[in-house]
Amino acid sequence: MIKTLLSIITILFILVSFVLLIYANSNTNKSRKVIDISKSEIKKKLNKISIIVLLSSILFGVLVPGSFHQVEAGQVAVVKRLGKVVKTRTPGTYFDFYLTNTYTFFDTTVQRIDIKTVSYSSDAQTMEIQMTVQYKIDASKAENILTEYLTMDSLSQRIEKVADDNVKSVLSKYTAMKIIETRASISPEVETIIKEAVGDRYFATITAVNLTNIDFTDEFEKAVEDKVVAEQQKEAAITKAKQELEVAKLTAQAKIEQARGDAESQKIIASASAEAMAIKIVELAKNIGFPITETYTKLTEVEVINALTNEVISSSSQESVVTTKPSYGVDVTNDTTNNTITTTTTTLVSTNYTIDFDANHTKDDLKVILDFVRYLEYLEKWDGKLPEVVSGTDGIEIIIPNLNESENTTNN
């Protein structure tokens, strides 16, 4: 701006000087009254003044405007005087005589380098890499950059070489498949390595590194695609096999549970049948007059709970045998003094019957009872066919098939 303004002023002075010279050297017939000075003397003075102004304007235009230097925002300038670095200029306007002082400008904004290179993975797969590197110079080191690299282009080329070498070094550690699978995590690793490699050695700071693209050969990409399809098919087959296995397991488990249920039901039925037989025997023995002794086994459980916190303070259980049938159930006692609730649960575990033998009742009498019970069981399962009857001289024999089909019982 200042250079433009000074140039305009210089041009105006030169134009004025030319006008005066033309006027001073022109032949005119107009008469003018000038006190004490003749017309020819006025022209001579105007001619001299015009020459002086013209020469001054030309000299001013040559020397002054070119010596004003403007350093814009986002720039820094290194000043050399007769080839020697003397100072660094930050943004602003400066006057340095241009014939002896030269300005070299450096951009202090973030610079971008686009890199395209070829690298190899650890399994010798070729890949084309596209990467961007962003850096920013240290403005205080502009003189060093000028001394060692002369221009920003030379510095950029050096940083590009460092980035190229290091990205190849990082990628060469991984297989091609690993690079494809972990590309997102490799990019930060590349950035860290390049930042450390540049450091402060090149008077610049790396602000960002991005791996924008990694391309493998068409053959390798086709192989990867085929592998992915194969893996998908394998996963689908495994999933189907797992599903079929789960179905088989559930089917087998259902059968097992059914078998267990059948076994448990058989046990319950057998237990009930045995209990029913025992009761029948006891009832028949009582009717015949056998002395019967009954004893009972009970289980008593005591639990003491804190009424405020519902915390179990103590818990105990005890089994006992009594001769008289005990009462059973749940008894709850609330102790407001100690803030406790005591729960006593009495459960009848089993009943034991003892058939005593005496002079009037022997084991033979008991055998009659057992045979009669078996006969009752036979009647419960009777298919409607009459039992075999054999007549004899001493009486009639009725042959009852044994329930276990292993022996016969004869009832006279």
Side-chain angles (χ1 to χ4, degrees), residues 19-50:
V19 170
L20 291 174
L21 282 173
I22 292 171
Y23 175 76
N25 291 286
S26 65
N27 293 321
T28 179
N29 295 320
K30 292 181 179 181
S31 61
R32 295 180 61 185
K33 293 181 179 181
V34 180
I35 301 174
D36 299 330
I37 300 177
S38 64
K39 185 176 180 180
S40 60
E41 289 177 346
I42 293 174
K43 287 186 176 182
K44 288 180 181 179
K45 287 187 177 182
L46 285 175
N47 192 28
K48 289 180 180 178
I49 293 172
S50 299

PDB file of all heavy atoms in Angstrom, residues 19-50:
ATOM      1  N   VAL A  19       5.593  19.248 -17.341  1.00  0.00           N
ATOM      2  CA  VAL A  19       4.746  20.389 -17.727  1.00  0.00           C
ATOM      3  C   VAL A  19       5.520  21.689 -17.608  1.00  0.00           C
ATOM      4  O   VAL A  19       5.475  22.572 -18.487  1.00  0.00           O
ATOM      5  CB  VAL A  19       3.472  20.421 -16.864  1.00  0.00           C
ATOM      6  CG1 VAL A  19       2.705  21.730 -17.094  1.00  0.00           C
ATOM      7  CG2 VAL A  19       2.591  19.236 -17.186  1.00  0.00           C
ATOM      8  N   LEU A  20       6.265  21.849 -16.506  1.00  0.00           N
ATOM      9  CA  LEU A  20       7.057  23.069 -16.308  1.00  0.00           C
ATOM     10  C   LEU A  20       8.140  23.195 -17.369  1.00  0.00           C
ATOM     11  O   LEU A  20       8.419  24.288 -17.872  1.00  0.00           O
ATOM     12  CB  LEU A  20       7.668  23.065 -14.905  1.00  0.00           C
ATOM     13  CG  LEU A  20       6.669  23.234 -13.745  1.00  0.00           C
ATOM     14  CD1 LEU A  20       7.390  23.070 -12.411  1.00  0.00           C
ATOM     15  CD2 LEU A  20       5.981  24.596 -13.810  1.00  0.00           C
ATOM     16  N   LEU A  21       8.794  22.085 -17.701  1.00  0.00           N
ATOM     17  CA  LEU A  21       9.831  22.138 -18.730  1.00  0.00           C
ATOM     18  C   LEU A  21       9.255  22.549 -20.090  1.00  0.00           C
ATOM     19  O   LEU A  21       9.865  23.327 -20.830  1.00  0.00           O
ATOM     20  CB  LEU A  21      10.513  20.773 -18.841  1.00  0.00           C
ATOM     21  CG  LEU A  21      11.540  20.422 -17.754  1.00  0.00           C
ATOM     22  CD1 LEU A  21      11.991  18.974 -17.897  1.00  0.00           C
ATOM     23  CD2 LEU A  21      12.742  21.368 -17.846  1.00  0.00           C
ATOM     24  N   ILE A  22       8.102  21.976 -20.382  1.00  0.00           N
ATOM     25  CA  ILE A  22       7.473  22.338 -21.665  1.00  0.00           C
ATOM     26  C   ILE A  22       7.130  23.821 -21.693  1.00  0.00           C
ATOM     27  O   ILE A  22       7.350  24.529 -22.685  1.00  0.00           O
ATOM     28  CB  ILE A  22       6.228  21.472 -21.897  1.00  0.00           C
ATOM     29  CG1 ILE A  22       6.643  20.011 -22.120  1.00  0.00           C
ATOM     30  CG2 ILE A  22       5.434  21.969 -23.110  1.00  0.00           C
ATOM     31  CD1 ILE A  22       5.484  19.051 -22.134  1.00  0.00           C
ATOM     32  N   TYR A  23       6.612  24.279 -20.590  1.00  0.00           N
ATOM     33  CA  TYR A  23       6.236  25.700 -20.527  1.00  0.00           C
ATOM     34  C   TYR A  23       7.456  26.597 -20.612  1.00  0.00           C
ATOM     35  O   TYR A  23       7.444  27.631 -21.301  1.00  0.00           O
ATOM     36  CB  TYR A  23       5.461  25.964 -19.238  1.00  0.00           C
ATOM     37  CG  TYR A  23       5.140  27.435 -19.035  1.00  0.00           C
ATOM     38  CD1 TYR A  23       4.110  28.042 -19.779  1.00  0.00           C
ATOM     39  CD2 TYR A  23       5.864  28.197 -18.128  1.00  0.00           C
ATOM     40  CE1 TYR A  23       3.822  29.390 -19.604  1.00  0.00           C
ATOM     41  CE2 TYR A  23       5.572  29.546 -17.959  1.00  0.00           C
ATOM     42  CZ  TYR A  23       4.552  30.149 -18.698  1.00  0.00           C
ATOM     43  OH  TYR A  23       4.279  31.485 -18.516  1.00  0.00           O
ATOM     44  N   ALA A  24       8.537  26.201 -19.897  1.00  0.00           N
ATOM     45  CA  ALA A  24       9.741  27.045 -19.869  1.00  0.00           C
ATOM     46  C   ALA A  24      10.408  27.122 -21.241  1.00  0.00           C
ATOM     47  O   ALA A  24      11.073  28.120 -21.574  1.00  0.00           O
ATOM     48  CB  ALA A  24      10.722  26.520 -18.831  1.00  0.00           C
ATOM     49  N   ASN A  25      10.261  26.123 -22.043  1.00  0.00           N
ATOM     50  CA  ASN A  25      10.937  26.102 -23.333  1.00  0.00           C
ATOM     51  C   ASN A  25      10.013  26.459 -24.499  1.00  0.00           C
ATOM     52  O   ASN A  25      10.401  26.315 -25.673  1.00  0.00           O
ATOM     53  CB  ASN A  25      11.536  24.717 -23.584  1.00  0.00           C
ATOM     54  CG  ASN A  25      12.701  24.431 -22.637  1.00  0.00           C
ATOM     55  OD1 ASN A  25      13.784  24.973 -22.812  1.00  0.00           O
ATOM     56  ND2 ASN A  25      12.445  23.602 -21.626  1.00  0.00           N
ATOM     57  N   SER A  26       8.827  26.852 -24.198  1.00  0.00           N
ATOM     58  CA  SER A  26       7.896  27.201 -25.268  1.00  0.00           C
ATOM     59  C   SER A  26       8.097  28.643 -25.711  1.00  0.00           C
ATOM     60  O   SER A  26       8.523  29.494 -24.929  1.00  0.00           O
ATOM     61  CB  SER A  26       6.452  26.981 -24.792  1.00  0.00           C
ATOM     62  OG  SER A  26       6.153  27.872 -23.724  1.00  0.00           O
ATOM     63  N   ASN A  27       7.821  29.022 -27.025  1.00  0.00           N
ATOM     64  CA  ASN A  27       7.904  30.372 -27.560  1.00  0.00           C
ATOM     65  C   ASN A  27       6.498  30.948 -27.622  1.00  0.00           C
ATOM     66  O   ASN A  27       5.656  30.494 -28.368  1.00  0.00           O
ATOM     67  CB  ASN A  27       8.499  30.357 -28.986  1.00  0.00           C
ATOM     68  CG  ASN A  27       9.960  29.934 -28.957  1.00  0.00           C
ATOM     69  OD1 ASN A  27      10.678  30.328 -28.070  1.00  0.00           O
ATOM     70  ND2 ASN A  27      10.350  29.142 -29.963  1.00  0.00           N
ATOM     71  N   THR A  28       6.216  31.903 -26.823  1.00  0.00           N
ATOM     72  CA  THR A  28       4.874  32.513 -26.749  1.00  0.00           C
ATOM     73  C   THR A  28       4.964  34.003 -27.020  1.00  0.00           C
ATOM     74  O   THR A  28       5.957  34.656 -26.670  1.00  0.00           O
ATOM     75  CB  THR A  28       4.222  32.264 -25.382  1.00  0.00           C
ATOM     76  OG1 THR A  28       2.949  32.885 -25.375  1.00  0.00           O
ATOM     77  CG2 THR A  28       5.048  32.823 -24.256  1.00  0.00           C
ATOM     78  N   ASN A  29       3.962  34.636 -27.682  1.00  0.00           N
ATOM     79  CA  ASN A  29       3.914  36.062 -28.009  1.00  0.00           C
ATOM     80  C   ASN A  29       3.104  36.869 -27.023  1.00  0.00           C
ATOM     81  O   ASN A  29       2.898  38.070 -27.194  1.00  0.00           O
ATOM     82  CB  ASN A  29       3.323  36.264 -29.429  1.00  0.00           C
ATOM     83  CG  ASN A  29       4.237  35.672 -30.486  1.00  0.00           C
ATOM     84  OD1 ASN A  29       5.464  35.803 -30.355  1.00  0.00           O
ATOM     85  ND2 ASN A  29       3.635  35.065 -31.512  1.00  0.00           N
ATOM     86  N   LYS A  30       2.575  36.187 -25.992  1.00  0.00           N
ATOM     87  CA  LYS A  30       1.765  36.880 -24.985  1.00  0.00           C
ATOM     88  C   LYS A  30       2.654  37.809 -24.170  1.00  0.00           C
ATOM     89  O   LYS A  30       3.752  37.430 -23.790  1.00  0.00           O
ATOM     90  CB  LYS A  30       1.068  35.880 -24.072  1.00  0.00           C
ATOM     91  CG  LYS A  30       0.006  35.077 -24.817  1.00  0.00           C
ATOM     92  CD  LYS A  30      -0.659  34.131 -23.866  1.00  0.00           C
ATOM     93  CE  LYS A  30      -1.734  33.323 -24.572  1.00  0.00           C
ATOM     94  NZ  LYS A  30      -2.395  32.419 -23.646  1.00  0.00           N
ATOM     95  N   SER A  31       2.141  38.968 -23.870  1.00  0.00           N
ATOM     96  CA  SER A  31       2.904  39.947 -23.083  1.00  0.00           C
ATOM     97  C   SER A  31       2.529  39.875 -21.633  1.00  0.00           C
ATOM     98  O   SER A  31       1.383  39.660 -21.295  1.00  0.00           O
ATOM     99  CB  SER A  31       2.623  41.368 -23.625  1.00  0.00           C
ATOM    100  OG  SER A  31       1.257  41.668 -23.498  1.00  0.00           O
ATOM    101  N   ARG A  32       3.502  39.985 -20.776  1.00  0.00           N
ATOM    102  CA  ARG A  32       3.270  39.951 -19.316  1.00  0.00           C
ATOM    103  C   ARG A  32       4.133  41.024 -18.680  1.00  0.00           C
ATOM    104  O   ARG A  32       5.253  41.277 -19.108  1.00  0.00           O
ATOM    105  CB  ARG A  32       3.624  38.591 -18.731  1.00  0.00           C
ATOM    106  CG  ARG A  32       2.719  37.483 -19.241  1.00  0.00           C
ATOM    107  CD  ARG A  32       3.123  36.184 -18.618  1.00  0.00           C
ATOM    108  NE  ARG A  32       2.985  36.254 -17.164  1.00  0.00           N
ATOM    109  CZ  ARG A  32       3.369  35.275 -16.345  1.00  0.00           C
ATOM    110  NH1 ARG A  32       3.937  34.206 -16.831  1.00  0.00           N
ATOM    111  NH2 ARG A  32       3.197  35.418 -15.060  1.00  0.00           N
ATOM    112  N   LYS A  33       3.603  41.624 -17.694  1.00  0.00           N
ATOM    113  CA  LYS A  33       4.344  42.639 -16.954  1.00  0.00           C
ATOM    114  C   LYS A  33       4.954  42.006 -15.740  1.00  0.00           C
ATOM    115  O   LYS A  33       4.249  41.512 -14.885  1.00  0.00           O
ATOM    116  CB  LYS A  33       3.428  43.768 -16.526  1.00  0.00           C
ATOM    117  CG  LYS A  33       2.890  44.572 -17.708  1.00  0.00           C
ATOM    118  CD  LYS A  33       2.018  45.692 -17.208  1.00  0.00           C
ATOM    119  CE  LYS A  33       1.497  46.526 -18.384  1.00  0.00           C
ATOM    120  NZ  LYS A  33       0.645  47.665 -17.931  1.00  0.00           N
ATOM    121  N   VAL A  34       6.282  41.997 -15.681  1.00  0.00           N
ATOM    122  CA  VAL A  34       6.976  41.426 -14.521  1.00  0.00           C
ATOM    123  C   VAL A  34       7.900  42.506 -13.999  1.00  0.00           C
ATOM    124  O   VAL A  34       8.712  43.076 -14.743  1.00  0.00           O
ATOM    125  CB  VAL A  34       7.783  40.185 -14.910  1.00  0.00           C
ATOM    126  CG1 VAL A  34       8.489  39.627 -13.691  1.00  0.00           C
ATOM    127  CG2 VAL A  34       6.876  39.164 -15.538  1.00  0.00           C
ATOM    128  N   ILE A  35       7.780  42.777 -12.739  1.00  0.00           N
ATOM    129  CA  ILE A  35       8.580  43.815 -12.096  1.00  0.00           C
ATOM    130  C   ILE A  35       9.989  43.323 -11.909  1.00  0.00           C
ATOM    131  O   ILE A  35      10.196  42.257 -11.329  1.00  0.00           O
ATOM    132  CB  ILE A  35       7.975  44.227 -10.747  1.00  0.00           C
ATOM    133  CG1 ILE A  35       6.555  44.735 -10.952  1.00  0.00           C
ATOM    134  CG2 ILE A  35       8.826  45.274 -10.065  1.00  0.00           C
ATOM    135  CD1 ILE A  35       5.828  45.023  -9.660  1.00  0.00           C
ATOM    136  N   ASP A  36      10.958  44.112 -12.416  1.00  0.00           N
ATOM    137  CA  ASP A  36      12.395  43.904 -12.242  1.00  0.00           C
ATOM    138  C   ASP A  36      12.909  42.599 -12.840  1.00  0.00           C
ATOM    139  O   ASP A  36      14.058  42.218 -12.610  1.00  0.00           O
ATOM    140  CB  ASP A  36      12.790  43.980 -10.769  1.00  0.00           C
ATOM    141  CG  ASP A  36      12.484  45.325 -10.134  1.00  0.00           C
ATOM    142  OD1 ASP A  36      12.517  46.339 -10.852  1.00  0.00           O
ATOM    143  OD2 ASP A  36      12.174  45.297  -8.937  1.00  0.00           O
ATOM    144  N   ILE A  37      12.101  41.797 -13.462  1.00  0.00           N
ATOM    145  CA  ILE A  37      12.586  40.523 -14.032  1.00  0.00           C
ATOM    146  C   ILE A  37      12.052  40.428 -15.445  1.00  0.00           C
ATOM    147  O   ILE A  37      10.862  40.575 -15.685  1.00  0.00           O
ATOM    148  CB  ILE A  37      12.104  39.324 -13.205  1.00  0.00           C
ATOM    149  CG1 ILE A  37      12.606  39.425 -11.776  1.00  0.00           C
ATOM    150  CG2 ILE A  37      12.585  38.028 -13.845  1.00  0.00           C
ATOM    151  CD1 ILE A  37      12.113  38.321 -10.894  1.00  0.00           C
ATOM    152  N   SER A  38      12.899  40.135 -16.362  1.00  0.00           N
ATOM    153  CA  SER A  38      12.495  40.021 -17.754  1.00  0.00           C
ATOM    154  C   SER A  38      11.858  38.656 -17.996  1.00  0.00           C
ATOM    155  O   SER A  38      12.010  37.719 -17.206  1.00  0.00           O
ATOM    156  CB  SER A  38      13.704  40.220 -18.686  1.00  0.00           C
ATOM    157  OG  SER A  38      14.633  39.175 -18.468  1.00  0.00           O
ATOM    158  N   LYS A  39      11.174  38.527 -19.139  1.00  0.00           N
ATOM    159  CA  LYS A  39      10.481  37.301 -19.485  1.00  0.00           C
ATOM    160  C   LYS A  39      11.471  36.162 -19.695  1.00  0.00           C
ATOM    161  O   LYS A  39      11.218  35.017 -19.314  1.00  0.00           O
ATOM    162  CB  LYS A  39       9.683  37.551 -20.765  1.00  0.00           C
ATOM    163  CG  LYS A  39       8.806  36.400 -21.177  1.00  0.00           C
ATOM    164  CD  LYS A  39       8.013  36.805 -22.390  1.00  0.00           C
ATOM    165  CE  LYS A  39       7.117  35.653 -22.804  1.00  0.00           C
ATOM    166  NZ  LYS A  39       6.309  35.984 -23.999  1.00  0.00           N
ATOM    167  N   SER A  40      12.580  36.397 -20.265  1.00  0.00           N
ATOM    168  CA  SER A  40      13.572  35.352 -20.517  1.00  0.00           C
ATOM    169  C   SER A  40      14.177  34.822 -19.230  1.00  0.00           C
ATOM    170  O   SER A  40      14.439  33.615 -19.099  1.00  0.00           O
ATOM    171  CB  SER A  40      14.681  35.890 -21.434  1.00  0.00           C
ATOM    172  OG  SER A  40      15.316  36.987 -20.823  1.00  0.00           O
ATOM    173  N   GLU A  41      14.342  35.681 -18.248  1.00  0.00           N
ATOM    174  CA  GLU A  41      14.921  35.226 -16.967  1.00  0.00           C
ATOM    175  C   GLU A  41      13.937  34.306 -16.218  1.00  0.00           C
ATOM    176  O   GLU A  41      14.325  33.325 -15.585  1.00  0.00           O
ATOM    177  CB  GLU A  41      15.258  36.441 -16.110  1.00  0.00           C
ATOM    178  CG  GLU A  41      16.445  37.240 -16.648  1.00  0.00           C
ATOM    179  CD  GLU A  41      16.717  38.496 -15.825  1.00  0.00           C
ATOM    180  OE1 GLU A  41      15.813  38.860 -15.021  1.00  0.00           O
ATOM    181  OE2 GLU A  41      17.790  39.071 -15.981  1.00  0.00           O
ATOM    182  N   ILE A  42      12.622  34.605 -16.366  1.00  0.00           N
ATOM    183  CA  ILE A  42      11.623  33.757 -15.694  1.00  0.00           C
ATOM    184  C   ILE A  42      11.642  32.365 -16.294  1.00  0.00           C
ATOM    185  O   ILE A  42      11.592  31.343 -15.594  1.00  0.00           O
ATOM    186  CB  ILE A  42      10.234  34.388 -15.829  1.00  0.00           C
ATOM    187  CG1 ILE A  42      10.169  35.702 -15.029  1.00  0.00           C
ATOM    188  CG2 ILE A  42       9.153  33.423 -15.356  1.00  0.00           C
ATOM    189  CD1 ILE A  42       8.890  36.457 -15.215  1.00  0.00           C
ATOM    190  N   LYS A  43      11.754  32.280 -17.600  1.00  0.00           N
ATOM    191  CA  LYS A  43      11.782  30.979 -18.259  1.00  0.00           C
ATOM    192  C   LYS A  43      13.010  30.191 -17.871  1.00  0.00           C
ATOM    193  O   LYS A  43      12.945  28.960 -17.700  1.00  0.00           O
ATOM    194  CB  LYS A  43      11.731  31.168 -19.765  1.00  0.00           C
ATOM    195  CG  LYS A  43      10.376  31.594 -20.263  1.00  0.00           C
ATOM    196  CD  LYS A  43      10.368  31.619 -21.787  1.00  0.00           C
ATOM    197  CE  LYS A  43       8.968  31.947 -22.304  1.00  0.00           C
ATOM    198  NZ  LYS A  43       8.912  31.929 -23.772  1.00  0.00           N
ATOM    199  N   LYS A  44      14.114  30.869 -17.712  1.00  0.00           N
ATOM    200  CA  LYS A  44      15.348  30.166 -17.319  1.00  0.00           C
ATOM    201  C   LYS A  44      15.201  29.571 -15.920  1.00  0.00           C
ATOM    202  O   LYS A  44      15.606  28.443 -15.655  1.00  0.00           O
ATOM    203  CB  LYS A  44      16.533  31.126 -17.368  1.00  0.00           C
ATOM    204  CG  LYS A  44      16.969  31.497 -18.780  1.00  0.00           C
ATOM    205  CD  LYS A  44      18.152  32.444 -18.732  1.00  0.00           C
ATOM    206  CE  LYS A  44      18.598  32.842 -20.158  1.00  0.00           C
ATOM    207  NZ  LYS A  44      19.745  33.801 -20.153  1.00  0.00           N
ATOM    208  N   LYS A  45      14.616  30.331 -15.015  1.00  0.00           N
ATOM    209  CA  LYS A  45      14.444  29.815 -13.641  1.00  0.00           C
ATOM    210  C   LYS A  45      13.453  28.651 -13.603  1.00  0.00           C
ATOM    211  O   LYS A  45      13.661  27.654 -12.904  1.00  0.00           O
ATOM    212  CB  LYS A  45      13.960  30.946 -12.731  1.00  0.00           C
ATOM    213  CG  LYS A  45      15.058  31.961 -12.412  1.00  0.00           C
ATOM    214  CD  LYS A  45      14.581  32.964 -11.381  1.00  0.00           C
ATOM    215  CE  LYS A  45      15.711  33.922 -11.005  1.00  0.00           C
ATOM    216  NZ  LYS A  45      15.302  34.896  -9.973  1.00  0.00           N
ATOM    217  N   LEU A  46      12.380  28.828 -14.370  1.00  0.00           N
ATOM    218  CA  LEU A  46      11.412  27.718 -14.419  1.00  0.00           C
ATOM    219  C   LEU A  46      12.051  26.469 -15.000  1.00  0.00           C
ATOM    220  O   LEU A  46      11.778  25.341 -14.563  1.00  0.00           O
ATOM    221  CB  LEU A  46      10.206  28.122 -15.274  1.00  0.00           C
ATOM    222  CG  LEU A  46       9.208  29.095 -14.639  1.00  0.00           C
ATOM    223  CD1 LEU A  46       8.145  29.481 -15.653  1.00  0.00           C
ATOM    224  CD2 LEU A  46       8.571  28.476 -13.402  1.00  0.00           C
ATOM    225  N   ASN A  47      12.888  26.643 -15.950  1.00  0.00           N
ATOM    226  CA  ASN A  47      13.570  25.510 -16.563  1.00  0.00           C
ATOM    227  C   ASN A  47      14.468  24.799 -15.561  1.00  0.00           C
ATOM    228  O   ASN A  47      14.481  23.563 -15.477  1.00  0.00           O
ATOM    229  CB  ASN A  47      14.365  26.005 -17.769  1.00  0.00           C
ATOM    230  CG  ASN A  47      14.862  24.867 -18.637  1.00  0.00           C
ATOM    231  OD1 ASN A  47      14.245  23.802 -18.676  1.00  0.00           O
ATOM    232  ND2 ASN A  47      15.960  25.076 -19.320  1.00  0.00           N
ATOM    233  N   LYS A  48      15.207  25.574 -14.795  1.00  0.00           N
ATOM    234  CA  LYS A  48      16.089  24.977 -13.775  1.00  0.00           C
ATOM    235  C   LYS A  48      15.267  24.253 -12.707  1.00  0.00           C
ATOM    236  O   LYS A  48      15.612  23.144 -12.289  1.00  0.00           O
ATOM    237  CB  LYS A  48      16.937  26.067 -13.129  1.00  0.00           C
ATOM    238  CG  LYS A  48      18.016  26.642 -14.057  1.00  0.00           C
ATOM    239  CD  LYS A  48      18.810  27.706 -13.326  1.00  0.00           C
ATOM    240  CE  LYS A  48      19.897  28.308 -14.235  1.00  0.00           C
ATOM    241  NZ  LYS A  48      20.659  29.373 -13.561  1.00  0.00           N
ATOM    242  N   ILE A  49      14.182  24.907 -12.244  1.00  0.00           N
ATOM    243  CA  ILE A  49      13.345  24.287 -11.201  1.00  0.00           C
ATOM    244  C   ILE A  49      12.750  22.983 -11.716  1.00  0.00           C
ATOM    245  O   ILE A  49      12.699  21.966 -11.013  1.00  0.00           O
ATOM    246  CB  ILE A  49      12.240  25.252 -10.755  1.00  0.00           C
ATOM    247  CG1 ILE A  49      12.858  26.465 -10.036  1.00  0.00           C
ATOM    248  CG2 ILE A  49      11.238  24.543  -9.845  1.00  0.00           C
ATOM    249  CD1 ILE A  49      11.872  27.571  -9.734  1.00  0.00           C
ATOM    250  N   SER A  50      12.278  23.000 -12.959  1.00  0.00           N
ATOM    251  CA  SER A  50      11.656  21.804 -13.530  1.00  0.00           C
ATOM    252  C   SER A  50      12.647  20.659 -13.614  1.00  0.00           C
ATOM    253  O   SER A  50      12.322  19.501 -13.317  1.00  0.00           O
ATOM    254  CB  SER A  50      11.102  22.127 -14.918  1.00  0.00           C
ATOM    255  OG  SER A  50      10.109  23.128 -14.834  1.00  0.00           O
TER     256      SER A  50
END
